[in-house]
Amino acid sequence: MTRAWSTLAVVLTILVPCAPAHATDITPRPALGRFHEIFKELVEINTTQSSGSCTVAAQAMAKRLRQAGYADADVQLIVPPDVPTKGNLVARLKGSGAKRPLLLVAHLDVVEAKREDWSRDPFKLIEENGIYYGRGTLDDKSQAAAHVSNMLRYKEERLVPQRDIILALTCDEEIIPSRWDGVDYLLKHHRALIDAELAINEGGGGRLDKNERPVSYSLQIGEKVFVTYELEVTNPGGHSALPVRDNAIHHLAEGLARLGRFDFPIQFNDTTRAYFERVAALDGNQDVAADLRALLARPTDTAALERLWTKSPVYNSSVRTTCVATTVEAGHASNALPQRAKATVNCRILPGQPAEDVRQTLIRVLADDRISVRPTSEALASPQPPMSPMVIQAVEQSVTELWPGVPVIPTMLVATTDGRFLNNAGIWTYGVGAFTGVEPSGVHGLDEHVRVKSLSDFQEFMYRLGKRLAM
């Protein structure tokens, strides 16, 4: 994601040590072997920006759908002109039309992965000790494989739901900004193909405890706004033997230090308030629960949030806009005064807060008119989806069937997904995902992985959830 998520939303449940429920022993399901074949095929197709092709992956999935009986008119490859590697796939299972369609969306592209850095070949699906390793195993080819597999199952069952079920496998979700982001491109040029009442996307998922038992399930409802600013100081420079007070690096460093000490105000929305309330009710750590309740009662209680922040940075990121320096570049020679100093500051803005207000806040906090602040891309703000009882109940029912006693927790994703385009288009979008363990998942990093059982369970979960929402 650009979901720094296999799901960052999954991380939101990491500190919820409620009494874990034992997973139901799910018996072997039809087409499970085929599902894992689809997953393997997707992972082993390189879809990186540098050397891969989303089009190849989209073509492979289109072939499977057509072989299963989908008409050519209902399986369409959409490749933007002059970019043959940025293909998208849209497929439709026709329903009765009694209700507006359900959109199942997943992105085919993945973050770069260097073989020399990984313990295993990132573009070879490798199973070791019940775990699948490979780039995209969580972000987001697990979801793409589940959607394709379930579209095949629905066709075999001759399912005629009240809604059409639309599958969209898209490209360039991981690239911000991109002229060829698949969801954005489809909305602008082929809106009718994916127009729907609601969508299911990445952004949520479950958490396992250290004993591999499911603890909680996160339903993502809304996300923060991504925008990056470039800070720059310029100077005539000169010989390093003749230093002056007016030093570009010093200006920038002092401004960044002030930014590092600054916190945006605390703000709740419907999703984050529901999240804090749910976690406070479930958390076995009474100190944590007390701080959660204190913050809900008095959102100006920065001391309570500071204590929660030491438990997990997610608490802070959930209720504040955050801006953090991520790269710095300065100087041109070891024996010369710097003529230029630049820094990248990445902000994740709470829904409803204008990006220009954030820029003006940065200018005020940096407190140096020598430091210019400009956005490197347009911030795409998106509205918060409603707390839909229909969606929440469908997720809760599906979770309860497979993992009895596991609570569903609404969460706001602190990262960014293609849901921002869909929500702006009036297609309310909700995020789900597979269960992950207590260890880092490797998403966007090294040795990305998912448990084989978690993957199989997620496919069944999506099968049931898709039918519930479409009927």
PDB file of all heavy atoms in Angstrom, residues 193-213:
ATOM      1  N   LEU A 193     -16.936   0.974 -16.623  1.00  0.00           N
ATOM      2  CA  LEU A 193     -16.476  -0.391 -16.386  1.00  0.00           C
ATOM      3  C   LEU A 193     -16.371  -0.730 -14.909  1.00  0.00           C
ATOM      4  O   LEU A 193     -16.545  -1.891 -14.521  1.00  0.00           O
ATOM      5  CB  LEU A 193     -15.106  -0.611 -17.051  1.00  0.00           C
ATOM      6  CG  LEU A 193     -15.076  -0.700 -18.576  1.00  0.00           C
ATOM      7  CD1 LEU A 193     -13.647  -0.922 -19.047  1.00  0.00           C
ATOM      8  CD2 LEU A 193     -15.988  -1.818 -19.074  1.00  0.00           C
ATOM      9  N   ILE A 194     -16.085   0.276 -14.073  1.00  0.00           N
ATOM     10  CA  ILE A 194     -15.864  -0.009 -12.656  1.00  0.00           C
ATOM     11  C   ILE A 194     -16.817   0.752 -11.745  1.00  0.00           C
ATOM     12  O   ILE A 194     -16.663   0.723 -10.519  1.00  0.00           O
ATOM     13  CB  ILE A 194     -14.409   0.280 -12.244  1.00  0.00           C
ATOM     14  CG1 ILE A 194     -14.063   1.769 -12.394  1.00  0.00           C
ATOM     15  CG2 ILE A 194     -13.429  -0.588 -13.010  1.00  0.00           C
ATOM     16  CD1 ILE A 194     -12.750   2.154 -11.729  1.00  0.00           C
ATOM     17  N   ASP A 195     -17.795   1.407 -12.299  1.00  0.00           N
ATOM     18  CA  ASP A 195     -18.722   2.167 -11.472  1.00  0.00           C
ATOM     19  C   ASP A 195     -19.468   1.212 -10.535  1.00  0.00           C
ATOM     20  O   ASP A 195     -19.985   0.181 -10.971  1.00  0.00           O
ATOM     21  CB  ASP A 195     -19.717   2.929 -12.344  1.00  0.00           C
ATOM     22  CG  ASP A 195     -20.440   4.012 -11.562  1.00  0.00           C
ATOM     23  OD1 ASP A 195     -19.837   4.555 -10.617  1.00  0.00           O
ATOM     24  OD2 ASP A 195     -21.602   4.297 -11.883  1.00  0.00           O
ATOM     25  N   ALA A 196     -19.510   1.545  -9.258  1.00  0.00           N
ATOM     26  CA  ALA A 196     -20.079   0.636  -8.259  1.00  0.00           C
ATOM     27  C   ALA A 196     -20.604   1.431  -7.073  1.00  0.00           C
ATOM     28  O   ALA A 196     -20.305   2.618  -6.913  1.00  0.00           O
ATOM     29  CB  ALA A 196     -19.014  -0.353  -7.795  1.00  0.00           C
ATOM     30  N   GLU A 197     -21.382   0.752  -6.244  1.00  0.00           N
ATOM     31  CA  GLU A 197     -21.868   1.383  -5.019  1.00  0.00           C
ATOM     32  C   GLU A 197     -20.814   1.363  -3.932  1.00  0.00           C
ATOM     33  O   GLU A 197     -20.683   2.308  -3.163  1.00  0.00           O
ATOM     34  CB  GLU A 197     -23.130   0.677  -4.521  1.00  0.00           C
ATOM     35  CG  GLU A 197     -23.711   1.304  -3.255  1.00  0.00           C
ATOM     36  CD  GLU A 197     -24.987   0.635  -2.789  1.00  0.00           C
ATOM     37  OE1 GLU A 197     -25.612  -0.079  -3.587  1.00  0.00           O
ATOM     38  OE2 GLU A 197     -25.355   0.839  -1.626  1.00  0.00           O
ATOM     39  N   LEU A 198     -20.069   0.272  -3.867  1.00  0.00           N
ATOM     40  CA  LEU A 198     -19.024   0.151  -2.852  1.00  0.00           C
ATOM     41  C   LEU A 198     -17.912  -0.733  -3.372  1.00  0.00           C
ATOM     42  O   LEU A 198     -18.079  -1.469  -4.355  1.00  0.00           O
ATOM     43  CB  LEU A 198     -19.577  -0.417  -1.549  1.00  0.00           C
ATOM     44  CG  LEU A 198     -19.949  -1.901  -1.524  1.00  0.00           C
ATOM     45  CD1 LEU A 198     -19.895  -2.434  -0.105  1.00  0.00           C
ATOM     46  CD2 LEU A 198     -21.355  -2.104  -2.085  1.00  0.00           C
ATOM     47  N   ALA A 199     -16.759  -0.651  -2.710  1.00  0.00           N
ATOM     48  CA  ALA A 199     -15.585  -1.414  -3.139  1.00  0.00           C
ATOM     49  C   ALA A 199     -14.897  -2.038  -1.934  1.00  0.00           C
ATOM     50  O   ALA A 199     -14.919  -1.485  -0.830  1.00  0.00           O
ATOM     51  CB  ALA A 199     -14.602  -0.507  -3.883  1.00  0.00           C
ATOM     52  N   ILE A 200     -14.286  -3.197  -2.183  1.00  0.00           N
ATOM     53  CA  ILE A 200     -13.437  -3.845  -1.192  1.00  0.00           C
ATOM     54  C   ILE A 200     -12.010  -3.810  -1.721  1.00  0.00           C
ATOM     55  O   ILE A 200     -11.731  -4.246  -2.843  1.00  0.00           O
ATOM     56  CB  ILE A 200     -13.884  -5.299  -0.930  1.00  0.00           C
ATOM     57  CG1 ILE A 200     -15.289  -5.315  -0.341  1.00  0.00           C
ATOM     58  CG2 ILE A 200     -12.899  -5.991   0.009  1.00  0.00           C
ATOM     59  CD1 ILE A 200     -15.429  -4.639   1.010  1.00  0.00           C
ATOM     60  N   ASN A 201     -11.111  -3.322  -0.891  1.00  0.00           N
ATOM     61  CA  ASN A 201      -9.727  -3.046  -1.282  1.00  0.00           C
ATOM     62  C   ASN A 201      -8.800  -3.599  -0.206  1.00  0.00           C
ATOM     63  O   ASN A 201      -9.248  -4.221   0.771  1.00  0.00           O
ATOM     64  CB  ASN A 201      -9.570  -1.518  -1.431  1.00  0.00           C
ATOM     65  CG  ASN A 201      -8.229  -1.091  -2.004  1.00  0.00           C
ATOM     66  OD1 ASN A 201      -7.610  -1.822  -2.753  1.00  0.00           O
ATOM     67  ND2 ASN A 201      -7.794   0.100  -1.638  1.00  0.00           N
ATOM     68  N   GLU A 202      -7.518  -3.372  -0.359  1.00  0.00           N
ATOM     69  CA  GLU A 202      -6.552  -3.670   0.685  1.00  0.00           C
ATOM     70  C   GLU A 202      -6.702  -2.647   1.813  1.00  0.00           C
ATOM     71  O   GLU A 202      -7.436  -1.683   1.704  1.00  0.00           O
ATOM     72  CB  GLU A 202      -5.139  -3.602   0.118  1.00  0.00           C
ATOM     73  CG  GLU A 202      -4.788  -2.216  -0.411  1.00  0.00           C
ATOM     74  CD  GLU A 202      -3.384  -2.105  -0.960  1.00  0.00           C
ATOM     75  OE1 GLU A 202      -2.552  -2.962  -0.647  1.00  0.00           O
ATOM     76  OE2 GLU A 202      -3.117  -1.147  -1.709  1.00  0.00           O
ATOM     77  N   GLY A 203      -5.945  -2.838   2.907  1.00  0.00           N
ATOM     78  CA  GLY A 203      -5.910  -1.824   3.952  1.00  0.00           C
ATOM     79  C   GLY A 203      -6.299  -2.309   5.327  1.00  0.00           C
ATOM     80  O   GLY A 203      -6.109  -1.604   6.309  1.00  0.00           O
ATOM     81  N   GLY A 204      -6.856  -3.511   5.434  1.00  0.00           N
ATOM     82  CA  GLY A 204      -7.199  -4.065   6.734  1.00  0.00           C
ATOM     83  C   GLY A 204      -6.531  -5.413   6.912  1.00  0.00           C
ATOM     84  O   GLY A 204      -5.575  -5.746   6.227  1.00  0.00           O
ATOM     85  N   GLY A 205      -7.048  -6.232   7.838  1.00  0.00           N
ATOM     86  CA  GLY A 205      -6.488  -7.568   8.033  1.00  0.00           C
ATOM     87  C   GLY A 205      -6.453  -7.956   9.493  1.00  0.00           C
ATOM     88  O   GLY A 205      -6.808  -7.175  10.371  1.00  0.00           O
ATOM     89  N   GLY A 206      -6.009  -9.184   9.738  1.00  0.00           N
ATOM     90  CA  GLY A 206      -6.005  -9.717  11.090  1.00  0.00           C
ATOM     91  C   GLY A 206      -4.624  -9.809  11.687  1.00  0.00           C
ATOM     92  O   GLY A 206      -3.617  -9.723  10.994  1.00  0.00           O
ATOM     93  N   ARG A 207      -4.628 -10.001  13.006  1.00  0.00           N
ATOM     94  CA  ARG A 207      -3.370 -10.099  13.746  1.00  0.00           C
ATOM     95  C   ARG A 207      -3.348 -11.411  14.517  1.00  0.00           C
ATOM     96  O   ARG A 207      -4.320 -11.758  15.208  1.00  0.00           O
ATOM     97  CB  ARG A 207      -3.233  -8.926  14.724  1.00  0.00           C
ATOM     98  CG  ARG A 207      -1.828  -8.758  15.269  1.00  0.00           C
ATOM     99  CD  ARG A 207      -0.926  -8.171  14.220  1.00  0.00           C
ATOM    100  NE  ARG A 207       0.466  -8.212  14.632  1.00  0.00           N
ATOM    101  CZ  ARG A 207       1.481  -7.910  13.836  1.00  0.00           C
ATOM    102  NH1 ARG A 207       1.253  -7.522  12.612  1.00  0.00           N
ATOM    103  NH2 ARG A 207       2.719  -7.969  14.262  1.00  0.00           N
ATOM    104  N   LEU A 208      -2.244 -12.144  14.411  1.00  0.00           N
ATOM    105  CA  LEU A 208      -2.030 -13.367  15.176  1.00  0.00           C
ATOM    106  C   LEU A 208      -1.159 -13.075  16.387  1.00  0.00           C
ATOM    107  O   LEU A 208      -0.290 -12.192  16.332  1.00  0.00           O
ATOM    108  CB  LEU A 208      -1.339 -14.420  14.310  1.00  0.00           C
ATOM    109  CG  LEU A 208      -2.043 -14.845  13.019  1.00  0.00           C
ATOM    110  CD1 LEU A 208      -1.117 -15.709  12.171  1.00  0.00           C
ATOM    111  CD2 LEU A 208      -3.337 -15.575  13.318  1.00  0.00           C
ATOM    112  N   ASP A 209      -1.355 -13.824  17.476  1.00  0.00           N
ATOM    113  CA  ASP A 209      -0.454 -13.667  18.616  1.00  0.00           C
ATOM    114  C   ASP A 209       0.775 -14.546  18.415  1.00  0.00           C
ATOM    115  O   ASP A 209       0.940 -15.198  17.381  1.00  0.00           O
ATOM    116  CB  ASP A 209      -1.179 -13.954  19.936  1.00  0.00           C
ATOM    117  CG  ASP A 209      -1.592 -15.417  20.094  1.00  0.00           C
ATOM    118  OD1 ASP A 209      -1.147 -16.277  19.293  1.00  0.00           O
ATOM    119  OD2 ASP A 209      -2.360 -15.725  21.017  1.00  0.00           O
ATOM    120  N   LYS A 210       1.645 -14.584  19.407  1.00  0.00           N
ATOM    121  CA  LYS A 210       2.907 -15.317  19.264  1.00  0.00           C
ATOM    122  C   LYS A 210       2.685 -16.820  19.148  1.00  0.00           C
ATOM    123  O   LYS A 210       3.586 -17.548  18.710  1.00  0.00           O
ATOM    124  CB  LYS A 210       3.831 -15.003  20.447  1.00  0.00           C
ATOM    125  CG  LYS A 210       3.284 -15.433  21.805  1.00  0.00           C
ATOM    126  CD  LYS A 210       4.243 -15.060  22.917  1.00  0.00           C
ATOM    127  CE  LYS A 210       3.706 -15.492  24.282  1.00  0.00           C
ATOM    128  NZ  LYS A 210       4.651 -15.105  25.378  1.00  0.00           N
ATOM    129  N   ASN A 211       1.492 -17.272  19.517  1.00  0.00           N
ATOM    130  CA  ASN A 211       1.158 -18.690  19.397  1.00  0.00           C
ATOM    131  C   ASN A 211       0.357 -18.988  18.140  1.00  0.00           C
ATOM    132  O   ASN A 211      -0.247 -20.059  18.023  1.00  0.00           O
ATOM    133  CB  ASN A 211       0.376 -19.143  20.637  1.00  0.00           C
ATOM    134  CG  ASN A 211       1.201 -19.044  21.903  1.00  0.00           C
ATOM    135  OD1 ASN A 211       2.358 -19.473  21.932  1.00  0.00           O
ATOM    136  ND2 ASN A 211       0.638 -18.454  22.941  1.00  0.00           N
ATOM    137  N   GLU A 212       0.328 -18.018  17.229  1.00  0.00           N
ATOM    138  CA  GLU A 212      -0.336 -18.183  15.933  1.00  0.00           C
ATOM    139  C   GLU A 212      -1.858 -18.230  16.048  1.00  0.00           C
ATOM    140  O   GLU A 212      -2.539 -18.758  15.172  1.00  0.00           O
ATOM    141  CB  GLU A 212       0.152 -19.458  15.212  1.00  0.00           C
ATOM    142  CG  GLU A 212       1.646 -19.552  15.064  1.00  0.00           C
ATOM    143  CD  GLU A 212       2.159 -18.862  13.805  1.00  0.00           C
ATOM    144  OE1 GLU A 212       1.618 -19.119  12.737  1.00  0.00           O
ATOM    145  OE2 GLU A 212       3.108 -18.064  13.921  1.00  0.00           O
ATOM    146  N   ARG A 213      -2.394 -17.686  17.121  1.00  0.00           N
ATOM    147  CA  ARG A 213      -3.840 -17.639  17.287  1.00  0.00           C
ATOM    148  C   ARG A 213      -4.361 -16.260  16.907  1.00  0.00           C
ATOM    149  O   ARG A 213      -3.738 -15.247  17.251  1.00  0.00           O
ATOM    150  CB  ARG A 213      -4.218 -17.976  18.734  1.00  0.00           C
ATOM    151  CG  ARG A 213      -3.870 -19.401  19.141  1.00  0.00           C
ATOM    152  CD  ARG A 213      -4.179 -19.661  20.601  1.00  0.00           C
ATOM    153  NE  ARG A 213      -3.406 -18.790  21.484  1.00  0.00           N
ATOM    154  CZ  ARG A 213      -3.400 -18.882  22.809  1.00  0.00           C
ATOM    155  NH1 ARG A 213      -4.146 -19.804  23.402  1.00  0.00           N
ATOM    156  NH2 ARG A 213      -2.670 -18.061  23.541  1.00  0.00           N
TER     157      ARG A 213
END
